[in-house]
Amino acid sequence: MRRLPFRRLLSLATLAAVGVATMGTTAACGDDDSAGGDSGPVTLRLGYFPNITHAPAVVGVEKGIFAEKLGSDVKLETKTFNAGPAAIEAIFSGALDATYIGPNPTVNAFSKSKGEAVRVISGAASGGVALVVKPGITSVEQLRGKKIATPQLGNTQDVALRYWLKEKGLKTTKEGGGDVKIVPQENAQTVETFSSGSIDGAWVPEPFVSRLVNAGGTVLVDERDLWPDKKFVITNLIVSTKFLKAHPETVKKLVEGQVAANDFVNTKPDDAQQAISDHIGKITGKPLDLKLIKQAWPTLLFTNDPIASSLKTGLDHAVAVELTQPVDLNGLYDLKYLNEVLKTQGQAEVTQP
């Protein structure tokens, strides 16, 4: 079976960005050109997704945490995206300096640029993914002949499902054949197709896990149970190498904001949940149901550790199910500033891969 490179797999998803959600949460005088040094005004263009698995980003923007840490000499522009490939394309085109993003688009960007374009500078979130199925399906063997949805061919959840089925002795194909028929589709569509009976289950992230459960589904696999210590990366923070080299102090301030945002999320969960609901409402015109956020919350761990070992394992899984070829990840992580910030705050440092 011919293997596809990560960039081909991930380009199958939509490359259309939602666009600019909010602009300039801090004011800066003078030129907005982010090519200037840290000694003068700098513009930082930060991307994120308006969902629960990007909670540190959403809360950091909504509560003004990033603005506070970056200071008055940095102008923060924020952009929201629906899909990882769109954010990566923005990085490559020079329209974005840093973004919160999932592991597979991270690997894609690193691989496509031959290790030059991006660096992971912090973790953000772990967990929040499950296989939800129709009531009555209680074992993997009962999935034989069934249709199971994933967000897109070759994405993080798609790889996880295919590898899990392979380990259980069930075959799949990229074309949707095999013992279990995998149907890539947008998460919002999955809730409708599950309710209508067009699919029998889905391997998806929150809040869609909770939505499917509320639609009558049951959790057959909580992905946390498949990983050591129940931890695996679902969201990390990356920065363009060009911006990192040009503005190291700004990047350190961004990391300070990430650590502070995670601290807020973990110590003030009720306030964080309300902030997420409100912020998503500002972007989409409809606040995310607070009850849904609270339902999904316990499945997520908000951590500054990027859990690098799980990203590498995820890549190995993609290779095992013949969806990509091996990628040398040496140099992907630059946790210097994260560890400086953690050390200053008396927190345990993260091991540099």
Side-chain angles (χ1 to χ4, degrees):
M1 180 180 295
R2 184 170 65 90
R3 299 182 180 184
L4 299 178
F6 258 58
R7 59 181 179 270
R8 172 58 180 154
L9 292 171
L10 292 168
S11 66
L12 296 175
T14 175
L15 294 180
V18 174
V20 178
T22 56
M23 298 290 293
T25 56
T26 58
C29 60
D31 190 5
D32 287 349
D33 186 2
S34 62
D38 279 339
S39 60
V42 176
T43 295
L44 170 63
R45 298 161 298 178
L46 177 66
Y48 63 98
F49 297 7
N51 62 37
I52 300 174
T53 57
H54 286 231
V58 176
V59 171
V61 173
E62 177 66 18
K63 303 301 290 188
I65 296 172
F66 291 128
E68 176 187 352
K69 294 299 181 180
L70 289 169
S72 60
D73 58 345
V74 177
K75 179 179 179 180
L76 175 64
E77 294 181 358
T78 59
K79 302 181 180 182
T80 59
F81 297 88
N82 275 336
I88 294 304
E89 287 299 318
I91 289 266
F92 283 170
S93 70
L96 199 65
D97 303 308
T99 189
Y100 285 82
I101 202 164
N104 276 22
T106 299
V107 172
N108 175 55
F110 191 74
S111 174
K112 186 175 181 179
S113 67
K114 301 186 185 306
E116 296 295 328
V118 300
R119 295 292 183 267
V120 175
I121 56 173
S122 178
S126 166
V129 180
L131 170 59
V132 182
V133 295
K134 291 290 187 182
I137 298 178
T138 59
S139 69
V140 62
E141 188 59 32
Q142 289 176 294
L143 295 176
R144 192 179 295 273
K146 299 295 193 293
K147 292 182 179 180
I148 305 297
T150 62
Q152 69 185 68
L153 175 64
N155 97 312
T156 306
Q157 288 79 50
D158 185 75
V159 169
L161 172 60
R162 291 174 189 274
Y163 184 78
W164 181 73
L165 290 171
K166 177 182 173 66
E167 289 291 286
K168 300 299 182 181
L170 295 177
K171 297 179 180 179
T172 62
T173 71
K174 293 191 292 290
E175 297 74 26
D179 299 321
V180 180
K181 304 182 186 308
I182 298 180
V183 185
Q185 57 188 228
E186 293 185 6
N187 289 325
Q189 180 185 358
T190 293
V191 178
E192 299 174 3
T193 54
F194 183 78
S195 298
S196 69
S198 298
I199 60 172
D200 301 289
W203 195 295
V204 290
E206 290 287 8
F208 299 98
V209 171
S210 295
R211 283 177 170 166
L212 292 175
V213 169
N214 293 346
T218 60
V219 174
L220 182 63
V221 179
D222 183 331
E223 192 175 338
R224 291 177 298 175
D225 295 333
L226 306 180
W227 293 91
D229 300 322
K230 296 181 178 292
K231 296 178 182 179
F232 64 98
V233 60
I234 186 67
T235 308
N236 51 211
L237 175 59
I238 67 173
V239 65
S240 79
T241 308
K242 180 179 179 181
F243 190 87
L244 175 61
K245 291 178 178 178
H247 308 290
E249 288 303 314
T250 299
V251 171
K252 183 176 180 179
K253 292 175 182 178
L254 173 62
V255 172
E256 290 176 351
Q258 154 59 30
V259 172
N262 250 356
D263 182 64
F264 187 100
V265 166
N266 286 314
T267 60
K268 301 178 180 179
D270 290 340
D271 291 343
Q273 291 160 13
Q274 186 63 61
I276 292 169
S277 177
D278 293 343
H279 192 74
I280 291 177
K282 293 176 183 178
I283 295 172
T284 66
K286 182 179 181 181
L288 186 61
D289 186 353
L290 194 56
K291 291 182 179 179
L292 192 68
I293 298 175
K294 291 183 178 297
Q295 181 180 345
W297 204 258
T299 70
L300 286 154
L301 172 68
F302 301 105
T303 175
N304 300 307
D305 187 344
I307 320 176
S309 60
S310 71
L311 182 143
K312 175 61 169 63
T313 299
L315 173 59
D316 292 341
H317 290 175
V319 173
V321 296
E322 302 182 333
L323 286 178
T324 192
Q325 299 209 15
V327 176
D328 183 0
L329 298 177
N330 185 45
L332 173 59
Y333 291 87
D334 187 344
L335 306 181
K336 171 186 175 181
Y337 296 121
L338 174 62
N339 283 326
E340 287 182 3
V341 173
L342 294 175
K343 184 177 182 179
T344 299
Q345 298 185 6
Q347 299 185 45
E349 296 180 36
V350 176
T351 301
Q352 173 80 38

